[in-house]
Amino acid sequence: MIEREEMPYDVVIVGGGPAGLATAIRLKQVDPALSVCVLEKGSEIGAHILSGATIDPKALDELLPTWREDGCPLAETPVTDNWHWHLTKKKKFGLPHLVMPPFMSNEGNYTGSLGNLCRWLAEQAEALEIEIFPGFPAAEILYDESGAVIGVQTGDMGVDREGNPKADFQPGMNLLGKYTVFCEGARGHLTKRLKARYDLEADCQPQIYGIGIKELWDIPADKHVPGRVIHTQGWPMSETDSWGGGFLYHQANNQVALGFVTALDYKNPYVYPFEEFQRWKQHPDIRAILEGGKRVAYGARAINEGGWQSVPMLVFPGGVLAGCSAGFVNVPRIKGTHTAMKSGMLAAEAMAAAINAGRAQDTLGEYDTAVRESWIAKELKLVQNAEPMVAKWGGEIGTVLAGADMWLRTLFGFGLAKPMKHHTDASTLQRADLYQPIAYPKPDGVISFDRLTSVSYSFTNHEEDQPVHLKLKDASVPTAINLPFYAGPEARYCPAGVYEFVDPDGAGAKLQINAQNCVHCKTCDIKDPTQNIEWVTPEGGGGPNYPNM
Amino acid sequence: MKILVPVKRVIDYNVKPRVKADGTGVDLANVKMSMNPFDEIAVEEAIRIKEAGKAEEIVAVSVGPAKAQDTLRTALAMGADRAILIETDTEVEPLAVAKILKAIVAEENPGLVILGKQAIDDDSNQTGQMLAALLGRPQGTFASKVEIDGDHVAVTREVDGGLETVKLALPAIVTTDLRLNEPRYASLPNIMKAKKKQLDVKTAADYGVDIAPRLKTLKVSEPPVRVAGVKVADVDALVTKLKELGVA
Ligand SMILES: Cc1cc2nc3c(=O)[nH]c(=O)nc-3n(C[C@H](O)[C@H](O)[C@H](O)COP(=O)(O)OP(=O)(O)OC[C@H]3O[C@@H](n4cnc5c(N)ncnc54)[C@H](O)[C@@H]3O)c2cc1C
Ligand code: SF4
């Protein structure tokens, strides 16, 4: 047995994103005497954060009301104009705002880097004496004999590829909390275990996801309109009968953040989210904005698309889920930051009260209730049928129906349909022989790029001599099932080119896993048709080093 | 013996530096910063010397912005005993750093100053040598092996075409090369303990050193992009092509 050091805290928070940092700050605001720590797997706060982002400041206003005056970088760029484009292959149609329900307006919102907002939140947190430990993933959940969560264990450092300790081996440490908060973001790997262990999804629909691929560009000053935000629907997803959309936000410093989200419930195994993004950039109206500019960063991250009906039970003995670990993204608005922060704040208030009442490691049912009575629930219930309507009726009709449904809910408090059902993204993939391979255009090296060059702009890195952090439950599945039946979809859906089918000696294809390229988006864990891939935390500090994403 | 280890906060080696649009420098806004890798090797070597019972105290020092405290905390978590930050928001040139270090050496009296051979941001490779000159002390640069032996230190140096071993009388200055050692991880328990170690913040003025820059940066630009090569069918085509290009 490895001997591990232990450290007790009042609250242990897993994940230093907006949810985790808001939880920590609120705890200290309510009771400065509480001891609070935040574990973050990225090499620094913000290193693994990838978002749009156009942010609704509602939660930030509640948490730190003077944020605009206190040097928060988000304050730099208020949204000034807001466009919805419906794209066809060559043209765009601006959708008038009149057909959009009022909450789709971005008035009063701000656009900027969520990573930088987190860096700023971390400074506020440290000023409140919250201990933040970047570079230390929570690798395991610790339970007591009664089955309650009592904390987490950080990952071991200095283990070789075969799992043996190296000369610089450092065992992980046990961090114990009266309560442990899981704020891992979309598809948290510990959250996944908790959902299974405590059957947290018993009364809700399964969570579903999209994969968002994003770049940051410097563009010529004469094309830059700070605060302009554009969303697109339609082409190119219309070509593959799948769902998705683009965003392009003019942020500070003559930069635009742009990205494309492909819903992971696609059926055609030849769909290639990276290439969808590349061809979307080549649309004449997008290309026009980028021409003469320069790409400075690239990355990808899964986003929750399940909406309100996929929100699981948020509490279990000893711990809670907050933010995208639970899944509070408002899908038609592509916004989850404000709800993530608000859920963390509600969790903090419940935990502080409980700890001060002498409680520990029990089930905080009052937090679950608080969320269901908060503006998070109200906001998400308005839009709960957007995604399933699109999934059911297809992109074009579904979008219109979803719009009508959202209008009815806004005006009259009822919609077209009862909350609709989801199927897991792993279950939607169909056999390759039902489809034709898709011929995507070649990159021009100016606006569109190849995948490996792109990955180098995520600045990802992993210590090479460590166990592969993408675990196959059964090593034969990729070549026995995925390749023959689904034409090896992992070679396409991974935005970092981690999965490669190779046949060096002509003896038959093998799956090669280039784990050091992984950008921690979690798509493989979500979309693998037989759920054979398990993403686990690599050695601390590994993964992307996103600047300003 | 006391060991002084100067460390610098630099752009992380995983990050591709990006030149600012106006060509005045590298854009460091929200870019990941870390301890200069050569300095990490210096900290590790100091710790190994201490662990071997040949030093009693390790003092880490950095000249840089307030955020360089993080870099010093890393040194403390690895095993340094205390730290000094000379806080400044201006870029400090090697000569100014060497002068500050000289003043700190006068105060602390270390038997050994061990520092990186260069910082990966400006690649100056000057501070160690300048410090040795200012102090009039022996220097062993580009060390791949350091052995303390009583009042001397033997330094194996990586020079063109091989290794050279020099023997220096202590007190001395040593600069580290890549192969000297593999730095350890700062473990979480040690990071927690490092938060409680002493870290003094001072200014260059406290040491009476003028750090005004003496060099002016005219322009910073990215290396030219390599133009893609062309394939030629055979030797004749190659010769024609070379003639076309005017190189043959
Ligand atoms: C492409 C894209 C565009 C988006 N656009 C917008 C937008 O415009 N506006 C908006 O409001 N929202 C947007 N969102 C959604 C928004 O980014 C999320 O809702 C939000 O980031 C959720 O915050 P979180 O703190 O729950 O999780 P995350 O932001 O995912 O943060 C989780 C953190 O926890 C860390 N972590 C995870 N597991 C562990 C572990 N086991 N140990 C230690 N650390 C761990 C991660 O490294 C990360 O830093 C977008 C998302 C995507 C993908
Ligand atoms: S290996 Fe999985 S988690 Fe990593 S980048 Fe690829 S799809 Fe994303």
Side-chain angles (χ1 to χ4, degrees):
Chain A
M1 268 289 279
I2 300 169
E3 219 170 284
R4 296 181 189 275
E5 294 200 39
E6 254 180 36
M7 188 69 156
Y9 286 91
D10 286 317
V11 179
V12 174
I13 299 170
V14 177
L21 293 167
T23 308
I25 292 172
R26 189 53 134 206
L27 277 164
K28 285 293 222 183
Q29 286 174 337
V30 178
D31 183 355
L34 295 174
S35 61
V36 180
C37 76
V38 179
L39 291 174
E40 168 54 49
K41 67 181 162 64
S43 63
E44 59 167 9
I45 294 292
H48 286 186
I49 298 291
L50 183 137
S51 189
T54 291
I55 294 174
D56 181 337
K58 195 169 181 175
L60 198 51
D61 283 336
E62 291 180 15
L63 183 68
L64 297 161
T66 58
W67 63 276
R68 291 176 188 78
E69 293 79 51
D70 294 344
C72 178
L74 191 63
E76 238 176 286
T77 320
V79 172
T80 51
D81 67 69
N82 183 22
W83 297 86
H84 289 269
W85 290 352
H86 182 85
L87 302 184
T88 62
K89 193 164 183 182
K90 294 271 178 276
K91 291 210 165 66
K92 68 159 198 279
F93 300 94
L95 297 180
H97 279 276
L98 279 177
V99 307
M100 297 280 168
F103 63 79
M104 292 294 286
S105 148
N106 274 304
E107 216 178 290
N109 293 342
Y110 292 79
T111 186
S113 152
L114 181 58
N116 292 351
L117 173 60
C118 289
R119 289 181 175 96
W120 181 81
L121 286 172
E123 281 171 22
Q124 313 310 306
E126 279 183 330
L128 294 168
E129 295 187 343
I130 291 157
E131 295 185 39
I132 303 182
F133 301 117
F136 293 95
E140 300 293 337
I141 306 166
L142 301 171
Y143 302 96
D144 67 9
E145 313 80 64
S146 77
V149 172
I150 55 168
V152 289
Q153 186 173 99
T154 64
D156 294 339
M157 311 277 278
V159 178
D160 74 9
R161 195 160 257 265
E162 275 70 50
N164 305 311
K166 296 188 276 189
D168 55 0
F169 176 74
Q170 295 279 0
M173 184 178 181
N174 292 342
L175 300 178
L176 308 177
K178 291 182 180 151
Y179 295 100
T180 306
V181 190
F182 294 84
C183 301
E184 300 179 281
R187 197 67 169 196
H189 94 288
L190 298 181
T191 302
K192 185 175 153 186
R193 294 179 192 172
L194 292 164
K195 281 183 174 180
R197 179 173 179 128
Y198 297 107
D199 203 9
L200 301 177
E201 289 185 326
D203 297 321
C204 72
Q205 298 296 314
Q207 185 57 264
I208 54 172
Y209 303 86
I211 168 71
I213 306 184
K214 174 187 171 184
E215 289 177 349
L216 195 65
W217 282 64
D218 286 338
I219 62 162
D222 58 344
K223 292 187 185 179
H224 190 252
V225 190
R228 170 170 292 173
V229 304
I230 301 168
H231 293 99
T232 80
Q233 59 180 59
W235 190 83
M237 299 319 285
S238 45
E239 294 211 4
T240 54
D241 190 27
S242 28
W243 191 56
F247 63 87
L248 189 149
Y249 303 151
H250 290 251
Q251 301 177 341
N253 304 322
N254 289 326
Q255 290 190 319
V256 293
L258 65 155
F260 198 88
V261 179
T262 300
L264 284 174
D265 62 355
Y266 62 80
K267 304 184 187 80
N268 178 346
Y270 291 110
V271 166
Y272 197 149
F274 174 84
E275 295 295 354
E276 295 294 345
F277 175 47
Q278 299 307 315
R279 69 174 169 181
W280 174 79
K281 283 190 290 175
Q282 292 287 8
H283 187 279
D285 289 290
I286 303 295
R287 190 184 164 96
I289 300 168
L290 301 178
E291 261 169 353
K294 195 171 161 228
R295 175 176 67 165
V296 295
Y298 167 88
R301 179 79 173 98
I303 178 171
N304 292 325
E305 294 194 332
W308 183 249
Q309 54 270 61
S310 294
V311 171
M313 182 71 161
L314 303 173
V315 293
F316 43 86
V320 304
L321 305 180
C324 277
S325 266
F328 299 116
V329 174
N330 181 327
V331 184
R333 290 179 81 195
I334 7 174
K335 286 188 181 57
T337 307
H338 61 306
T339 46
M341 291 179 70
K342 177 66 180 178
S343 64
M345 290 156 65
L346 292 172
E349 287 156 16
M351 286 186 293
I355 291 169
N356 283 322
R359 288 165 55 188
Q361 290 162 359
D362 58 355
T363 304
L364 274 169
E366 58 271 38
Y367 160 58
D368 191 83
T369 311
V371 169
R372 288 172 209 278
E373 287 170 357
S374 70
W375 54 253
I376 302 176
K378 208 168 153 214
E379 181 181 326
L380 294 188
K381 281 182 187 167
L382 272 179
V383 298
Q384 65 188 0
N385 281 333
E387 206 287 338
M389 279 191 165
V390 176
K392 183 156 181 197
W393 305 101
E396 312 275 325
I397 302 167
T399 308
V400 174
L401 284 177
D405 186 68
M406 291 187 293
W407 262 116
L408 289 172
R409 283 174 201 277
T410 306
L411 297 176
F412 307 114
F414 67 89
L416 290 179
K418 287 202 302 242
M420 293 173 72
K421 289 196 162 46
H422 297 317
H423 305 283
T424 67
D425 295 321
S427 69
T428 58
L429 210 60
Q430 296 183 346
R431 286 195 340 252
D433 58 1
L434 302 173
Y435 294 90
Q436 289 300 315
I438 303 167
Y440 288 101
K442 282 220 154 55
D444 63 8
V446 181
I447 301 293
S448 53
F449 306 97
D450 67 74
R451 196 166 45 174
L452 276 187
T453 316
S454 298
V455 178
S456 72
Y457 283 83
S458 72
F459 316 111
T460 189
N461 187 37
H462 292 86
E463 158 66 42
E464 250 172 72
D465 190 14
Q466 65 167 307
V468 173
H469 71 281
L470 302 143
K471 307 249 177 247
L472 299 181
K473 288 180 200 150
D474 175 346
S476 71
V477 165
T479 45
I481 296 175
N482 292 5
L483 194 55
F485 294 109
Y486 304 105
E490 56 270 60
R492 287 179 293 278
Y493 60 59
C494 171
V498 168
Y499 300 97
E500 242 183 308
F501 285 94
V502 294
D503 189 1
D505 37 25
K510 278 198 319 242
L511 181 68
Q512 177 179 311
I513 302 182
N514 309 310
Q516 67 280 5
N517 278 359
C518 175
V519 296
H520 297 201
C521 75
K522 312 279 179 79
T523 302
C524 50
D525 194 284
I526 297 165
K527 188 65 180 168
D528 184 53
T530 62
Q531 289 290 278
N532 187 47
I533 300 176
E534 195 196 5
W535 188 99
V536 300
T537 47
E539 187 170 294
N545 284 289
Y546 294 138
N548 308 303
M549 294 287 264
Chain B
M1 181 174 78
K2 190 191 278 187
I3 305 181
L4 188 72
V5 194
V7 296
K8 184 177 183 184
R9 177 176 185 265
V10 298
I11 188 165
D12 187 80
Y13 69 96
N14 288 310
V15 176
K16 263 200 211 69
R18 172 172 158 266
V19 173
K20 285 189 205 156
D22 62 4
T24 54
V26 170
D27 189 358
L28 296 179
N30 302 303
V31 168
K32 175 160 163 55
M33 307 290 281
S34 306
M35 190 189 299
N36 178 35
F38 293 107
D39 302 347
E40 248 184 311
I41 294 173
V43 175
E44 175 67 34
E45 195 62 22
I47 299 167
R48 291 188 188 184
I49 294 170
K50 187 181 164 192
E51 283 172 350
K54 291 177 177 168
E56 291 80 47
E57 192 186 21
I58 301 169
V59 181
V61 48
S62 188
V63 180
K67 287 248 174 173
Q69 288 195 28
D70 295 349
T71 314
L72 288 168
R73 290 280 172 214
T74 306
L76 293 171
M78 288 172 72
D81 298 290
R82 71 193 161 82
I84 307 170
L85 171 66
I86 315 320
E87 193 179 328
T88 162
D89 283 327
T90 51
E91 205 173 308
V92 192
E93 290 168 2
L95 183 59
V97 175
K99 285 181 182 167
I100 293 172
L101 293 177
K102 181 187 173 201
I104 294 175
V105 166
E107 217 172 72
E108 297 280 346
N109 243 327
L112 183 69
V113 181
I114 182 161
L115 65 169
K117 69 167 181 180
Q118 68 196 55
I120 61 165
D121 52 358
D122 59 16
D123 276 347
S124 289
N125 185 331
Q126 294 169 347
T127 308
Q129 293 90 326
M130 285 176 168
L131 177 64
L134 289 173
L135 288 167
R137 288 189 182 172
Q139 56 179 300
T141 52
F142 313 145
S144 63
K145 197 167 167 195
V146 175
E147 280 173 300
I148 308 278
D149 182 11
D151 53 0
H152 282 77
V153 54
V155 177
T156 305
R157 309 182 56 230
E158 300 202 353
V159 291
D160 282 350
L163 297 174
E164 174 190 72
T165 304
V166 294
K167 193 170 168 197
L168 318 174
L170 293 171
I173 316 296
V174 171
T175 74
T176 61
D177 215 324
L178 217 51
R179 272 167 287 271
L180 179 56
N181 60 47
E182 264 199 50
R184 68 194 62 193
Y185 296 102
S187 72
L188 189 49
N190 288 339
I191 288 174
M192 291 176 177
K193 285 168 206 146
K195 293 201 184 216
K196 297 189 183 84
K197 290 187 183 175
Q198 182 185 344
L199 193 162
D200 298 317
V201 181
K202 302 199 167 167
T203 65
D206 294 342
Y207 295 99
V209 177
D210 171 17
I211 56 168
R214 318 213 159 193
L215 303 172
K216 197 171 140 200
T217 303
L218 299 180
K219 187 164 176 252
V220 178
S221 60
E222 279 179 27
V225 193
R226 243 188 81 217
V227 204
V230 250
K231 265 199 186 140
V232 288
D234 51 29
V235 178
D236 288 344
L238 176 65
V239 174
T240 325
K241 190 88 203 167
L242 290 177
K243 283 198 175 136
E244 256 173 53
L245 293 169
V247 287

